[in-house]
Amino acid sequence: MKNLLLISAVIILVLVAGCTSVTPSTTGKTTLQFTTSPSGAEVYLDNQYAGTTPSSLSDVSVGTHSLEYRLTGYSPWKSTITVPAGTSSYYASLTPLASKTATTIPSGIATTVQPISVVVQQPTVTITESTDTLVIGGKLLFSGTCKGSNGVILMLYGPGIYTNGVKVAEPSVGTDNTWSYTWNPGTSIMNGAYTMIAYDKQKQASDKVSFNAVGGGSITISAASATIPQGNTASFSGLCTSGAKTVRLTLYGPGQYSNGVDVVTLPLNADNTWNYKFTFDQAKPMGIYTMYVHDAQNTGSASVIVSIVSP
């Protein structure tokens, strides 16, 4: 009897030990790398747009996430992934969509009649924009085609409230398979780069365009010296944070400069600053000059006055 009790106790201890496990830590952040064949697929992590392949995403929480790749003409690839600490790579070979066929035999017809094949067309979507630069306060026209769906969904990604994507409209598709939408955000948007994605209603196909919004911010100009001896060079510099890529300098003054003369168009430096040197040679009369700076889309300007004196 004592032996039987001892054996039973050992079995219970083994069973308890076998059911005990240690759950690994899922705290911390990591970096994910996404690649597909073919490349160019849209990446959605936890149903949020995360760029196109090949790409990487940092500051991702360790643990379980949903991952999806979408590419027009290919079946969506979906998986639940468990992200460990450290950098992880996730690759998928996408499968092309095959034309769906349905075979039917009409009622009352002998089965020797050839089957009827019906081809089901996969949806297709295109999108274009009226301009790749939107001056804040203006409008932007988007248009395109959509086949296989009676409407499109427009999702906008960009700075501010558009960081995680915002559905801005669901324009209907006409009988000629075309659609259009005019976006009029007013002055509330931030300058920067934006991407508009057009989907069919079932989100089986998509297309996208990118544009820049410019305006707001600040535009400045200063001169190294307010008094320049005739024949010498004046140094001008400033800052442009309107979102424009270039600035234009225009000089007003006596003689030929009375109505203003465009001097130069300059690309901005990486930190949005600019610099320029202008020589007031002997052919330029002495007097008071004003140098103006405008951003490329004329959303703002600034000026500085210099005096050209006898050497």
Side-chain angles (χ1 to χ4, degrees):
M1 183 64 177
K2 291 181 178 179
N3 290 338
L4 181 58
L5 293 173
L6 179 60
I7 292 172
S8 299
V10 170
I11 291 173
I12 291 172
L13 289 174
V14 170
L15 291 174
V16 171
C19 296
T20 304
S21 63
V22 178
T23 302
S25 170
T26 59
T27 60
K29 300 290 184 179
T30 185
T31 297
L32 307 184
Q33 296 177 339
F34 307 109
T35 54
T36 57
S37 178
S39 60
E42 296 175 359
V43 181
Y44 291 85
L45 186 68
D46 297 330
N47 297 317
Q48 297 295 320
Y49 176 72
T52 57
T53 60
S55 62
S56 62
L57 184 64
S58 59
D59 202 31
V60 178
S61 300
V62 171
T64 302
H65 300 269
S66 65
L67 174 62
E68 180 177 359
Y69 294 133
R70 302 176 187 172
L71 182 61
T72 301
Y74 292 80
S75 297
W77 184 94
K78 300 179 181 180
S79 180
T80 299
I81 59 175
T82 301
V83 177
T87 300
S88 301
S89 298
Y90 295 91
Y91 167 83
S93 179
L94 304 181
T95 303
L97 288 170
S99 296
K100 298 180 180 179
T101 60
T103 302
T104 60
I105 300 177
S107 175
I109 304 298
T111 57
T112 56
V113 175
Q114 289 293 327
I116 299 173
S117 295
V118 179
V119 177
V120 180
Q121 183 184 30
Q122 291 296 321
T124 60
V125 177
T126 65
I127 182 174
T128 59
E129 59 198 350
S130 56
T131 178
D132 61 2
T133 302
L134 170 68
V135 177
I136 295 176
K139 303 176 183 179
L140 189 57
L141 173 65
F142 297 93
S143 59
T145 62
C146 180
K147 298 180 180 179
S149 179
N150 62 357
V152 296
I153 299 172
L154 297 181
M155 294 287 296
L156 183 63
Y157 294 83
I161 64 173
Y162 300 99
T163 300
N164 296 318
V166 173
K167 182 171 70 174
V168 296
E170 291 189 30
S172 59
V173 177
T175 56
D176 58 351
N177 296 320
T178 63
W179 63 269
S180 64
Y181 172 71
T182 299
W183 186 49
N184 184 12
T187 59
S188 61
I189 63 170
M190 299 172 59
N191 62 50
Y194 289 80
T195 298
M196 184 74 85
I197 303 178
Y199 298 92
D200 68 289
K201 280 290 186 69
Q202 294 73 36
K203 288 194 172 181
Q204 294 180 341
S206 65
D207 193 15
K208 61 184 178 182
V209 291
S210 297
F211 62 94
N212 290 310
V214 299
S218 62
I219 301 175
T220 65
I221 182 173
S222 62
S225 175
T227 303
I228 312 296
Q230 190 179 39
N232 286 16
T233 298
S235 295
F236 299 92
S237 60
L239 176 72
C240 176
T241 60
S242 71
K245 297 180 180 179
T246 61
V247 292
R248 185 181 77 257
L249 298 184
T250 304
L251 184 64
Y252 289 82
Q256 68 183 90
Y257 297 97
S258 59
N259 294 320
V261 174
D262 286 339
V263 175
V264 69
T265 297
L266 300 171
L268 295 178
N269 300 320
D271 59 354
N272 294 320
T273 61
W274 60 270
N275 303 274
Y276 184 69
K277 292 183 178 181
F278 183 78
T279 300
F280 288 91
D281 54 36
Q282 299 294 332
K284 298 177 177 61
M286 293 181 291
I288 305 298
Y289 289 80
T290 302
M291 184 72 84
Y292 281 86
V293 60
H294 305 259
D295 68 344
Q297 287 75 31
N298 288 324
T299 66
S301 65
S303 63
V304 66
I305 294 175
V306 294
S307 297
I308 307 305
V309 298
S310 175

